[in-house]
Amino acid sequence: MADTTFPRMSGWKNGYDPKQVDSFFKRARESFERPTPQPGDLDSRAVRTVGFDLVRKGYHVAVVDAALDRLEDAFAKQARDRLIAQSGQDAWVSELTRVASSLRGRLVREPGEHFDNPAPGVIGYDIEQVDDMCEKVNAYFTQGVAMSVDQVRRVLFKTAKGNKAYDEDQVDAFIDRVVEVMASVD
């Protein structure tokens, strides 16, 4: 992993806090380069869920996000390779199958029933858009329909309320698991 330097936002535009980004990438490099994982090391999930404060003239958001995507993929592939080296190909396939089957329970539900509705008065994700994404993910897993991990990673849903919405936390957790599976396969 090479040292990271990112372009900064110009003018009055905000970008990611350079100190936070630099610190995270330094820690990620140390975790990645360690021959065996240690408690507290970063992994693909930590990369996927990291957040940075926005500051004036910070690092360019899109450039850092793209680097985070590559880093997440590298950690996922490293975890796969370590599991295969330690326990064999069958162990990796078994783990992948276990995680993918946890997704299947949601994917086989009827449209409008994939996730819970949010609590009354709470904003959630538009049911039709989430159901559409679930159909595409299901086609990817069951029929081999082409879909990139970035299509899932970057999905944005309109917001809605009540019975026209799904609970955001449930959908986000599901999307995270889909990305985890896809990143370890590609």
Side-chain angles (χ1 to χ4, degrees):
M1 239 177 239
D3 286 338
T4 54
T5 54
F6 298 104
R8 291 182 182 254
M9 301 299 286
S10 60
W12 293 96
K13 295 179 183 170
N14 289 335
Y16 290 141
D17 183 313
K19 289 179 186 172
Q20 292 174 358
V21 172
D22 290 342
S23 174
F24 182 82
F25 273 88
K26 179 179 185 275
R27 188 167 163 225
R29 184 178 310 105
E30 291 166 356
S31 295
F32 189 83
E33 292 175 349
R34 209 177 320 277
T36 56
Q38 302 295 313
D41 275 356
L42 298 178
D43 60 8
S44 62
R45 183 177 300 268
V47 175
R48 184 172 48 261
T49 59
V50 71
F52 303 112
D53 293 334
L54 293 173
V55 297
R56 189 165 166 248
K57 295 189 178 183
Y59 284 151
H60 196 283
V61 172
V63 175
V64 173
D65 284 348
L68 288 169
D69 290 347
R70 291 188 302 275
L71 182 61
E72 179 185 359
D73 292 345
F75 270 111
K77 287 177 177 87
Q78 182 186 59
R80 175 197 64 202
D81 293 346
R82 283 179 173 166
L83 180 60
I84 291 171
Q86 181 180 13
S87 304
Q89 182 84 15
D90 290 344
W92 174 70
V93 170
S94 177
E95 176 61 15
L96 190 61
T97 302
R98 183 191 67 76
V99 174
S101 19
S102 72
L103 300 173
R104 182 159 170 66
R106 294 248 183 234
L107 294 174
V108 297
R109 294 179 184 178
E110 292 296 318
E113 298 177 7
H114 291 287
F115 303 94
D116 294 338
N117 299 115
V122 175
I123 293 176
Y125 293 136
D126 179 80
I127 283 181
E128 289 182 17
Q129 288 186 334
V130 175
D131 284 349
D132 182 56
M133 175 56 72
C134 286
E135 283 181 37
K136 290 175 182 174
V137 168
N138 194 36
Y140 169 82
F141 285 123
T142 61
Q143 301 164 23
V145 173
M147 178 178 221
S148 77
V149 68
D150 285 332
Q151 285 176 282
V152 180
R153 225 182 233 137
R154 297 283 173 238
V155 68
L156 296 173
F157 303 113
K158 291 189 302 187
T159 57
K161 282 187 179 180
N163 63 357
K164 295 183 183 208
Y166 283 136
D167 179 272
E168 287 183 12
D169 291 338
Q170 286 184 352
V171 174
D172 288 343
F174 174 80
I175 294 293
D176 282 349
R177 295 295 275 188
V178 171
V179 168
E180 181 181 336
V181 170
M182 291 178 75
S184 71
V185 172
D186 287 339

PDB file of all heavy atoms in Angstrom, residues 104-121:
ATOM      1  N   ARG A 104     -30.454 -14.311   1.615  1.00  0.00           N
ATOM      2  CA  ARG A 104     -31.548 -14.934   0.867  1.00  0.00           C
ATOM      3  C   ARG A 104     -32.894 -14.784   1.564  1.00  0.00           C
ATOM      4  O   ARG A 104     -33.912 -14.591   0.916  1.00  0.00           O
ATOM      5  CB  ARG A 104     -31.232 -16.412   0.632  1.00  0.00           C
ATOM      6  CG  ARG A 104     -32.286 -17.110  -0.171  1.00  0.00           C
ATOM      7  CD  ARG A 104     -31.767 -18.371  -0.820  1.00  0.00           C
ATOM      8  NE  ARG A 104     -32.815 -19.179  -1.405  1.00  0.00           N
ATOM      9  CZ  ARG A 104     -33.573 -18.840  -2.431  1.00  0.00           C
ATOM     10  NH1 ARG A 104     -33.413 -17.676  -3.017  1.00  0.00           N
ATOM     11  NH2 ARG A 104     -34.502 -19.648  -2.893  1.00  0.00           N
ATOM     12  N   GLY A 105     -32.894 -14.862   2.898  1.00  0.00           N
ATOM     13  CA  GLY A 105     -34.144 -14.716   3.634  1.00  0.00           C
ATOM     14  C   GLY A 105     -34.876 -13.429   3.297  1.00  0.00           C
ATOM     15  O   GLY A 105     -36.102 -13.401   3.185  1.00  0.00           O
ATOM     16  N   ARG A 106     -34.137 -12.368   3.119  1.00  0.00           N
ATOM     17  CA  ARG A 106     -34.749 -11.081   2.742  1.00  0.00           C
ATOM     18  C   ARG A 106     -35.144 -11.071   1.270  1.00  0.00           C
ATOM     19  O   ARG A 106     -36.153 -10.507   0.898  1.00  0.00           O
ATOM     20  CB  ARG A 106     -33.782  -9.939   3.006  1.00  0.00           C
ATOM     21  CG  ARG A 106     -33.480  -9.745   4.460  1.00  0.00           C
ATOM     22  CD  ARG A 106     -34.054  -8.453   4.945  1.00  0.00           C
ATOM     23  NE  ARG A 106     -33.696  -8.260   6.337  1.00  0.00           N
ATOM     24  CZ  ARG A 106     -34.588  -8.023   7.280  1.00  0.00           C
ATOM     25  NH1 ARG A 106     -35.859  -7.937   6.989  1.00  0.00           N
ATOM     26  NH2 ARG A 106     -34.198  -7.843   8.513  1.00  0.00           N
ATOM     27  N   LEU A 107     -34.309 -11.681   0.437  1.00  0.00           N
ATOM     28  CA  LEU A 107     -34.524 -11.597  -1.006  1.00  0.00           C
ATOM     29  C   LEU A 107     -35.727 -12.393  -1.482  1.00  0.00           C
ATOM     30  O   LEU A 107     -36.320 -12.050  -2.501  1.00  0.00           O
ATOM     31  CB  LEU A 107     -33.257 -12.068  -1.740  1.00  0.00           C
ATOM     32  CG  LEU A 107     -32.038 -11.173  -1.559  1.00  0.00           C
ATOM     33  CD1 LEU A 107     -30.815 -11.815  -2.192  1.00  0.00           C
ATOM     34  CD2 LEU A 107     -32.286  -9.789  -2.130  1.00  0.00           C
ATOM     35  N   VAL A 108     -36.103 -13.434  -0.776  1.00  0.00           N
ATOM     36  CA  VAL A 108     -37.228 -14.255  -1.227  1.00  0.00           C
ATOM     37  C   VAL A 108     -38.579 -13.715  -0.748  1.00  0.00           C
ATOM     38  O   VAL A 108     -39.625 -14.228  -1.148  1.00  0.00           O
ATOM     39  CB  VAL A 108     -37.078 -15.735  -0.786  1.00  0.00           C
ATOM     40  CG1 VAL A 108     -35.848 -16.341  -1.439  1.00  0.00           C
ATOM     41  CG2 VAL A 108     -37.042 -15.879   0.715  1.00  0.00           C
ATOM     42  N   ARG A 109     -38.561 -12.695   0.059  1.00  0.00           N
ATOM     43  CA  ARG A 109     -39.826 -12.111   0.521  1.00  0.00           C
ATOM     44  C   ARG A 109     -40.516 -11.377  -0.625  1.00  0.00           C
ATOM     45  O   ARG A 109     -39.883 -10.957  -1.591  1.00  0.00           O
ATOM     46  CB  ARG A 109     -39.571 -11.133   1.677  1.00  0.00           C
ATOM     47  CG  ARG A 109     -39.060 -11.817   2.921  1.00  0.00           C
ATOM     48  CD  ARG A 109     -38.813 -10.812   4.017  1.00  0.00           C
ATOM     49  NE  ARG A 109     -38.226 -11.479   5.193  1.00  0.00           N
ATOM     50  CZ  ARG A 109     -37.878 -10.839   6.278  1.00  0.00           C
ATOM     51  NH1 ARG A 109     -38.046  -9.535   6.389  1.00  0.00           N
ATOM     52  NH2 ARG A 109     -37.357 -11.507   7.288  1.00  0.00           N
ATOM     53  N   GLU A 110     -41.803 -11.199  -0.460  1.00  0.00           N
ATOM     54  CA  GLU A 110     -42.607 -10.488  -1.459  1.00  0.00           C
ATOM     55  C   GLU A 110     -42.232  -8.995  -1.475  1.00  0.00           C
ATOM     56  O   GLU A 110     -41.841  -8.441  -0.440  1.00  0.00           O
ATOM     57  CB  GLU A 110     -44.099 -10.612  -1.119  1.00  0.00           C
ATOM     58  CG  GLU A 110     -44.638 -12.013  -1.282  1.00  0.00           C
ATOM     59  CD  GLU A 110     -44.595 -12.499  -2.714  1.00  0.00           C
ATOM     60  OE1 GLU A 110     -44.921 -11.717  -3.632  1.00  0.00           O
ATOM     61  OE2 GLU A 110     -44.225 -13.668  -2.922  1.00  0.00           O
ATOM     62  N   PRO A 111     -42.375  -8.340  -2.628  1.00  0.00           N
ATOM     63  CA  PRO A 111     -42.165  -6.889  -2.678  1.00  0.00           C
ATOM     64  C   PRO A 111     -43.032  -6.195  -1.618  1.00  0.00           C
ATOM     65  O   PRO A 111     -44.178  -6.588  -1.399  1.00  0.00           O
ATOM     66  CB  PRO A 111     -42.604  -6.513  -4.093  1.00  0.00           C
ATOM     67  CG  PRO A 111     -42.403  -7.769  -4.892  1.00  0.00           C
ATOM     68  CD  PRO A 111     -42.720  -8.893  -3.939  1.00  0.00           C
ATOM     69  N   GLY A 112     -42.456  -5.232  -0.962  1.00  0.00           N
ATOM     70  CA  GLY A 112     -43.155  -4.512   0.100  1.00  0.00           C
ATOM     71  C   GLY A 112     -42.972  -5.153   1.462  1.00  0.00           C
ATOM     72  O   GLY A 112     -43.397  -4.596   2.472  1.00  0.00           O
ATOM     73  N   GLU A 113     -42.321  -6.342   1.493  1.00  0.00           N
ATOM     74  CA  GLU A 113     -42.145  -7.065   2.756  1.00  0.00           C
ATOM     75  C   GLU A 113     -40.690  -7.437   3.037  1.00  0.00           C
ATOM     76  O   GLU A 113     -40.416  -8.207   3.950  1.00  0.00           O
ATOM     77  CB  GLU A 113     -43.010  -8.329   2.745  1.00  0.00           C
ATOM     78  CG  GLU A 113     -44.485  -8.033   2.638  1.00  0.00           C
ATOM     79  CD  GLU A 113     -45.330  -9.298   2.555  1.00  0.00           C
ATOM     80  OE1 GLU A 113     -44.783 -10.419   2.715  1.00  0.00           O
ATOM     81  OE2 GLU A 113     -46.539  -9.160   2.317  1.00  0.00           O
ATOM     82  N   HIS A 114     -39.760  -6.896   2.271  1.00  0.00           N
ATOM     83  CA  HIS A 114     -38.349  -7.240   2.453  1.00  0.00           C
ATOM     84  C   HIS A 114     -37.815  -6.780   3.808  1.00  0.00           C
ATOM     85  O   HIS A 114     -36.966  -7.449   4.398  1.00  0.00           O
ATOM     86  CB  HIS A 114     -37.484  -6.633   1.344  1.00  0.00           C
ATOM     87  CG  HIS A 114     -37.714  -7.257   0.000  1.00  0.00           C
ATOM     88  ND1 HIS A 114     -37.270  -8.512  -0.334  1.00  0.00           N
ATOM     89  CD2 HIS A 114     -38.355  -6.790  -1.097  1.00  0.00           C
ATOM     90  CE1 HIS A 114     -37.611  -8.794  -1.572  1.00  0.00           C
ATOM     91  NE2 HIS A 114     -38.278  -7.760  -2.056  1.00  0.00           N
ATOM     92  N   PHE A 115     -38.297  -5.641   4.290  1.00  0.00           N
ATOM     93  CA  PHE A 115     -37.809  -5.059   5.538  1.00  0.00           C
ATOM     94  C   PHE A 115     -38.992  -4.490   6.308  1.00  0.00           C
ATOM     95  O   PHE A 115     -40.082  -4.329   5.762  1.00  0.00           O
ATOM     96  CB  PHE A 115     -36.799  -3.931   5.260  1.00  0.00           C
ATOM     97  CG  PHE A 115     -35.629  -4.386   4.431  1.00  0.00           C
ATOM     98  CD1 PHE A 115     -35.639  -4.244   3.054  1.00  0.00           C
ATOM     99  CD2 PHE A 115     -34.519  -4.962   5.030  1.00  0.00           C
ATOM    100  CE1 PHE A 115     -34.580  -4.679   2.278  1.00  0.00           C
ATOM    101  CE2 PHE A 115     -33.452  -5.401   4.269  1.00  0.00           C
ATOM    102  CZ  PHE A 115     -33.476  -5.261   2.890  1.00  0.00           C
ATOM    103  N   ASP A 116     -38.767  -4.142   7.583  1.00  0.00           N
ATOM    104  CA  ASP A 116     -39.804  -3.516   8.397  1.00  0.00           C
ATOM    105  C   ASP A 116     -39.993  -2.068   7.966  1.00  0.00           C
ATOM    106  O   ASP A 116     -39.077  -1.430   7.433  1.00  0.00           O
ATOM    107  CB  ASP A 116     -39.413  -3.526   9.877  1.00  0.00           C
ATOM    108  CG  ASP A 116     -39.354  -4.927  10.459  1.00  0.00           C
ATOM    109  OD1 ASP A 116     -39.989  -5.842   9.895  1.00  0.00           O
ATOM    110  OD2 ASP A 116     -38.649  -5.100  11.479  1.00  0.00           O
ATOM    111  N   ASN A 117     -41.183  -1.551   8.251  1.00  0.00           N
ATOM    112  CA  ASN A 117     -41.419  -0.118   8.072  1.00  0.00           C
ATOM    113  C   ASN A 117     -40.762   0.612   9.236  1.00  0.00           C
ATOM    114  O   ASN A 117     -40.604   0.047  10.317  1.00  0.00           O
ATOM    115  CB  ASN A 117     -42.928   0.199   8.059  1.00  0.00           C
ATOM    116  CG  ASN A 117     -43.651  -0.491   6.927  1.00  0.00           C
ATOM    117  OD1 ASN A 117     -44.484  -1.345   7.155  1.00  0.00           O
ATOM    118  ND2 ASN A 117     -43.347  -0.113   5.705  1.00  0.00           N
ATOM    119  N   PRO A 118     -40.388   1.874   9.037  1.00  0.00           N
ATOM    120  CA  PRO A 118     -39.802   2.626  10.153  1.00  0.00           C
ATOM    121  C   PRO A 118     -40.869   2.930  11.211  1.00  0.00           C
ATOM    122  O   PRO A 118     -42.072   2.791  10.951  1.00  0.00           O
ATOM    123  CB  PRO A 118     -39.303   3.912   9.485  1.00  0.00           C
ATOM    124  CG  PRO A 118     -40.119   4.057   8.256  1.00  0.00           C
ATOM    125  CD  PRO A 118     -40.477   2.661   7.816  1.00  0.00           C
ATOM    126  N   ALA A 119     -40.417   3.340  12.361  1.00  0.00           N
ATOM    127  CA  ALA A 119     -41.338   3.735  13.425  1.00  0.00           C
ATOM    128  C   ALA A 119     -42.199   4.906  12.937  1.00  0.00           C
ATOM    129  O   ALA A 119     -41.783   5.661  12.045  1.00  0.00           O
ATOM    130  CB  ALA A 119     -40.551   4.145  14.664  1.00  0.00           C
ATOM    131  N   PRO A 120     -43.390   5.069  13.488  1.00  0.00           N
ATOM    132  CA  PRO A 120     -44.261   6.173  13.062  1.00  0.00           C
ATOM    133  C   PRO A 120     -43.537   7.527  13.134  1.00  0.00           C
ATOM    134  O   PRO A 120     -42.859   7.830  14.112  1.00  0.00           O
ATOM    135  CB  PRO A 120     -45.413   6.119  14.057  1.00  0.00           C
ATOM    136  CG  PRO A 120     -45.449   4.694  14.529  1.00  0.00           C
ATOM    137  CD  PRO A 120     -44.009   4.254  14.531  1.00  0.00           C
ATOM    138  N   GLY A 121     -43.663   8.274  12.054  1.00  0.00           N
ATOM    139  CA  GLY A 121     -43.061   9.603  11.980  1.00  0.00           C
ATOM    140  C   GLY A 121     -41.593   9.613  11.605  1.00  0.00           C
ATOM    141  O   GLY A 121     -40.997  10.662  11.425  1.00  0.00           O
TER     142      GLY A 121
END
